Amino acid sequence: MQAFEFLPARDTHAAIAAAARSSTAQQGATVRFVAGGTTLLDLMKLNVERPALIVDISRLPLDRIERQRDGGLVLGAMVRNSDLANHPLVRSDFPVLSQAILAGASGQLRNMATTGGNLLQRTRCMYFRDTAYPCNKREPGSGCAAMEGANRTLAILGTSEHCIATNPSDMNVALAALEATIHVEGSRGARQIPIAEFHLLPGSTPHIETVLEPGDLITHVSLPPPVPGSRSCYLKLRDRASYEFALASAAVVVKLEGDKIARARIAMGGVGTRPWRSTEAEALLVGAQAWEPAFQRAADAVLRDARPSSENGFKVELARRCLVHALKEVTQ
Ligand SMILES: Cc1cc2nc3c(=O)[nH]c(=O)nc-3n(C[C@H](O)[C@H](O)[C@H](O)COP(=O)(O)OP(=O)(O)OC[C@H]3O[C@@H](n4cnc5c(N)ncnc54)[C@H](O)[C@@H]3O)c2cc1C
Ligand code: SF4
């Protein structure tokens, strides 16, 4: 691990100012905020992340969950994943979010992990985490060892010839289905970014994963009010029952009117280079009878552009079954 400067931030403004000053003074030197540290410190030990400055945001007062006047929720960036998943308002109004978080990592990790850190967790592609291998995401232009290597767990949707890494977060999939907004503050002021625009496809620049600019701090995430009468669930399929990343997962939020679907929100995890919302599948479901043929058509729409690699062709069928099963769960 290389030497770095460590700066505990007193407040949000001090954190943003320190990050901005450092980037300018050291000609773009890498600055990282540390929240729970469960991704960042691992990657520093592996020499994958080599920040010159770490700004500790763990004591910032961004740890509240608050009800909005319209019934939506505001989730502070420093809210721990355990607190978020177990909060009574989240459990009652946004169960898909609670289920997604509890399906991830372990109790100890969720006690440390935060909303902001989870949004920005890096891929689990083994070549990204091992500096002995070429990886365009870690070292732009070096190549991609996964293309002809161990790619069983990697993405089938949104890939490019430069990177096929999966976004590994469960929470992000639920936030995509819930149409969350990410609130950011940086040297250019405050911005709000819909989650659908937050994570980028790899294209030819897989090292650029989000629309954040250097030194941008996520302050909170907001959720629109729950839709009365809707039901939701998160289904995660993986190699073992706990402490494992998704091979395929589905977050679905559906409202029925009689036996027809009046509203649907669908996002998938474990298969995309970013949390994979499918508005096409949602549109196909609206007005359809809530039965398996309609769910299969929705799955067709999600997976039509799937491009499997040498070892992960099984994910196409797995993702199909995952989505169909989740839709059955919420419409029974
Ligand atoms: C063994 C293991 C198993 C896991 N299994 C799962 C799983 O099954 N499912 C799953 O979804 N996740 C899993 N995770 C990942 C875990 O959820 C993430 O490590 C965690 O959510 C990251 O949060 P953190 O607060 O610790 O982030 P940190 O490590 O503190 O930060 C991560 C990144 O986010 C940046 N950052 C953090 N907060 C902010 C902010 N407010 N503004 C701007 N930048 C910020 C940091 O600079 C850093 O780049 C696993 C992790 C481990 C180690
Ligand atoms: S898939 Fe992406 S993260 Fe994995 S080796 Fe290739 S470029 Fe790196």
Side-chain angles (χ1 to χ4, degrees):
M1 193 194 288
Q2 79 168 25
F4 56 89
E5 191 187 342
F6 184 82
L7 193 75
R10 291 182 317 278
D11 56 46
T12 302
H13 295 297
I16 294 164
R21 252 197 327 275
S22 172
S23 303
T24 316
Q26 299 178 48
Q27 295 173 335
T30 319
V31 183
R32 289 280 184 263
F33 297 114
V34 67
T38 62
T39 286
L40 183 65
L41 299 189
D42 269 7
L43 292 176
M44 286 173 66
K45 288 183 211 160
L46 294 169
N47 247 347
V48 172
E49 289 267 17
R50 293 188 292 265
L53 169 68
I54 293 191
V55 180
D56 179 9
I57 58 170
S58 62
R59 288 177 182 79
L60 298 186
L62 299 172
D63 57 353
R64 292 201 198 100
I65 298 175
E66 285 166 350
R67 173 83 91 185
Q68 299 280 78
R69 270 201 200 146
D70 64 2
L73 284 189
V74 171
L75 321 170
M78 277 307 303
V79 172
R80 305 286 172 175
N81 284 183
S82 296
D83 295 333
L84 182 53
N86 293 313
H87 195 280
L89 288 175
V90 177
R91 288 169 64 116
S92 63
D93 293 357
F94 304 96
V96 66
L97 179 56
S98 183
Q99 289 166 17
I101 292 170
L102 292 176
S106 65
Q108 290 92 334
L109 283 160
R110 293 192 296 268
N111 288 344
M112 288 304 293
T114 63
T115 312
N118 200 329
L119 272 165
L120 295 177
Q121 65 172 284
R122 312 294 306 273
T123 183
R124 307 305 286 198
C125 173
M126 61 178 271
Y127 304 109
F128 172 73
R129 297 169 66 86
D130 188 338
T131 55
Y133 291 92
C135 168
N136 289 324
K137 191 183 274 299
R138 176 172 30 78
E139 204 68 55
S142 62
C144 172
M147 295 284 174
E148 304 299 328
N151 50 45
R152 177 176 173 274
T153 61
L154 300 187
I156 56 173
L157 290 165
T159 56
S160 75
E161 59 183 307
H162 301 280
C163 182
I164 54 174
T166 321
N167 183 299
S169 168
D170 294 295
M171 184 191 82
N172 289 350
V173 184
L175 290 181
L178 293 169
E179 301 179 301
T181 299
I182 320 299
H183 298 253
V184 172
E185 283 186 36
S187 48
R188 290 198 298 122
R191 290 178 358 259
Q192 301 184 8
I193 307 157
I195 190 159
E197 295 164 21
F198 185 77
H199 295 98
L200 298 171
L201 291 172
S204 58
T205 53
H207 58 293
I208 305 174
E209 297 179 348
T210 69
V211 296
L212 290 184
E213 292 173 10
D216 273 351
L217 177 76
I218 299 172
T219 54
H220 56 284
V221 172
S222 59
L223 299 179
V227 176
S230 64
R231 295 181 61 193
S232 69
C233 91
Y234 185 73
L235 178 63
K236 177 176 179 179
L237 306 181
R238 47 191 154 168
D239 280 331
R240 57 183 177 203
S242 78
Y243 204 40
E244 185 56 279
F245 290 89
L247 289 170
S249 70
V252 298
V253 186
V254 170
K255 180 176 179 174
L256 287 178
E257 272 167 14
D259 63 353
K260 296 235 168 85
I261 297 173
R263 182 180 183 276
R265 294 291 180 271
I266 288 176
M268 300 208 65
V271 286
T273 50
R274 64 180 183 193
W276 204 260
R277 169 128 180 241
S278 175
T279 50
E280 197 188 337
E282 293 166 6
L284 280 173
L285 285 170
V286 172
Q289 194 181 334
W291 67 332
E292 181 157 346
F295 305 157
Q296 292 286 359
R297 280 196 296 277
D300 283 343
V302 177
L303 295 160
R304 187 170 303 125
D305 296 328
R307 296 277 174 277
S309 299
S310 53
E311 296 182 348
N312 65 5
F314 74 97
K315 281 196 176 191
V316 179
E317 183 60 20
L318 192 72
R320 161 183 298 284
R321 292 184 188 202
C322 183
L323 177 57
V324 169
H325 195 84
L327 286 166
K328 282 184 188 168
E329 281 287 310
V330 290
T331 54
Q332 271 169 5

